[in-house]
Amino acid sequence: SFRDRWALRAQRIRSLTEARTELADHLALTLDVRDPAHYATGKQRIDELVTVLQPFRGTGLRLRIHYRCPGVQAQLQAGKQWRVTPSDDLLKTLRQLLGAEQVRVSYRAGR
């Protein structure tokens, strides 16, 4: 008997990457090179970041970077050519490179 049982009917199924791309506003990264004892130079860190992002470029999320170095902080909005596909692989690699708290998928309000 199906009485008193829940039923679920999906109208659309999508992967997590597709859902992130569709529902999120941007990928927010924090690149902090203020402490040279613990981090490579700013140029080296940027080169590492570019290497990680390169295979995921194309359509996808806008990229925002909060850059911190001694005496300077800046919010950078990457151009359209740096939109990235927010796959699990990309997020995992970025978290390993920058730290888990430095990588955030930012979703639109009201979604």
Side-chain angles (χ1 to χ4, degrees):
S1 162
F2 289 101
R3 204 166 117 192
D4 296 327
R5 293 192 184 186
W6 287 89
L8 179 66
R9 181 180 302 163
Q11 293 180 348
R12 184 171 169 211
I13 298 173
R14 55 190 164 198
S15 71
L16 285 175
T17 299
E18 291 169 336
R20 278 187 204 113
T21 301
E22 189 174 311
L23 300 174
D25 182 63
H26 64 276
L27 177 60
L29 307 177
T30 299
L31 181 58
D32 191 339
V33 295
R34 290 179 296 181
D35 186 352
H38 294 99
Y39 294 103
T41 67
K43 169 105 173 76
Q44 289 170 322
R45 297 297 285 179
I46 291 169
D47 290 345
E48 291 170 344
L49 186 57
V50 167
T51 299
V52 168
L53 293 170
Q54 191 68 36
F56 300 93
R57 287 176 57 183
T59 59
L61 298 184
R62 293 178 297 146
L63 181 62
R64 291 188 181 166
I65 300 171
H66 183 184
Y67 182 77
R68 297 175 183 163
C69 66
V72 176
Q73 290 192 47
Q75 293 284 346
L76 308 171
Q77 172 79 42
K80 286 183 181 180
Q81 67 274 24
W82 283 100
R83 285 183 173 260
V84 293
T85 302
S87 71
D88 290 340
D89 288 341
L90 174 60
L91 297 177
K92 179 180 176 183
T93 304
L94 287 170
R95 288 178 177 133
Q96 289 171 343
L97 177 66
L98 302 174
E101 298 297 317
Q102 311 308 321
V103 179
R104 183 173 50 86
V105 177
S106 181
Y107 291 89
R108 299 177 196 134
R111 296 258 173 150

